[in-house]
Amino acid sequence: MNYGQRGRDLLLDLKRSDWLPPYNDEGVRATLQEISLHFGELSDQVDAANSAAARASGGDKGSGSIPMESRPAMILHDAAIRRNKRCLLAYHAYRMDKLRALRWETSAALPPHVRSLLSEAEVDFFTEYDRLVSRHCTAIDLDLNSDLTPPEEDLVQVRVVRSGLGRIATEHGGSVELDLGTTHYLPRGDVEHLIRQGALQQLDGEEHA
């Protein structure tokens, strides 16, 4: 028996795919079945070893140790169980990460060709994740799906070179404390006047380094 092969095959499916392969329900079930078989074998090994230890110690099951000849098989089955569990967790975690990223790329629209690759549970996960994000956006009154990448041409990196500037409000609705010596990355329109006044020093990449 090639222990752990079905779990390994699941991960190889992911590696060979450009994005996501179709959900391998058969492979997942086979891996779970293998875990169950190993667990049954491990339980039988433990029971047999405890019985042997009890006989060796005169019938007291709590006083004997597991015979050395029983340990390799027990370690093997335990390792196979753990390996398959790790493979299953990695397989599903990878797919969930892809679905979370897809939500931000498509703004809640699940393309038909993507839906065909997913299990029913994964479709439900995508739907619930979208609902969670949408509720959060509504609660904070902000569309988190817009402007995922800050427009670098409208931002400037500055260092505070004058004390007593206090806190300024930004065009995005936040505020920044301009303490002497601190460095910030802010919209140019919010700090242009302070740069001209000499209160802030504009930095380029080499100067900041």
Side-chain angles (χ1 to χ4, degrees):
M1 183 176 183
N2 193 355
Y3 294 147
Q5 183 62 41
R6 298 310 296 265
R8 180 175 180 271
D9 288 342
L10 290 175
L11 300 186
L12 288 177
D13 282 347
L14 299 178
K15 185 176 182 179
R16 287 190 290 259
S17 175
D18 292 334
W19 186 67
L20 272 184
Y23 184 80
N24 192 341
D25 185 70
E26 179 184 355
V28 170
R29 291 180 182 275
T31 305
L32 289 171
Q33 183 179 19
E34 186 176 312
I35 290 175
S36 180
L37 290 174
H38 280 299
F39 185 80
E41 290 288 341
L42 179 59
S43 296
D44 291 343
Q45 290 281 345
V46 171
D47 290 342
N50 285 336
S51 297
R55 288 193 298 270
S57 60
D60 186 358
K61 291 186 177 182
S63 61
S65 60
I66 296 176
M68 289 298 298
E69 62 270 18
S70 300
R71 296 181 184 182
M74 295 169 63
I75 293 173
L76 174 63
H77 289 299
D78 180 69
I81 291 171
R82 293 175 183 272
R83 175 186 171 86
N84 278 328
K85 287 174 65 177
R86 288 195 299 269
C87 289
L88 285 173
L89 289 171
Y91 180 76
H92 289 94
Y94 180 89
R95 295 179 67 91
M96 289 168 65
D97 286 344
K98 288 291 188 180
L99 291 178
R100 277 191 286 264
L102 180 67
R103 163 58 181 80
W104 295 103
E105 296 169 2
T106 61
S107 299
L110 189 61
H113 71 279
V114 172
R115 182 182 291 269
S116 65
L117 302 176
L118 308 180
S119 67
E120 291 185 10
E122 288 175 329
V123 173
D124 291 342
F125 169 80
F126 183 90
T127 301
E128 289 301 319
Y129 183 69
D130 168 58
R131 186 175 293 120
L132 178 65
V133 172
S134 298
R135 283 203 306 263
H136 182 63
C137 290
T138 300
I140 65 176
D141 193 24
L142 182 64
D143 183 8
L144 297 177
N145 215 64
S146 64
D147 297 329
L148 294 180
T149 302
E152 295 184 3
E153 65 275 8
D154 292 334
L155 298 176
V156 61
Q157 192 170 33
V158 295
R159 177 182 293 126
V160 182
V161 295
R162 182 185 299 171
S163 61
L165 296 181
R167 181 180 296 272
I168 65 168
T170 69
E171 65 183 28
H172 299 304
S175 63
V176 177
E177 189 73 34
L178 298 179
D179 295 325
L180 181 64
T182 57
T183 301
H184 306 274
Y185 201 48
L186 299 169
R188 178 178 294 275
D190 292 336
V191 296
E192 184 69 38
H193 64 292
L194 295 175
I195 295 174
R196 290 197 299 268
Q197 294 171 12
L200 300 180
Q201 177 187 6
Q202 182 175 341
L203 303 176
D204 56 28
E206 294 181 358
E207 185 176 0
H208 179 59

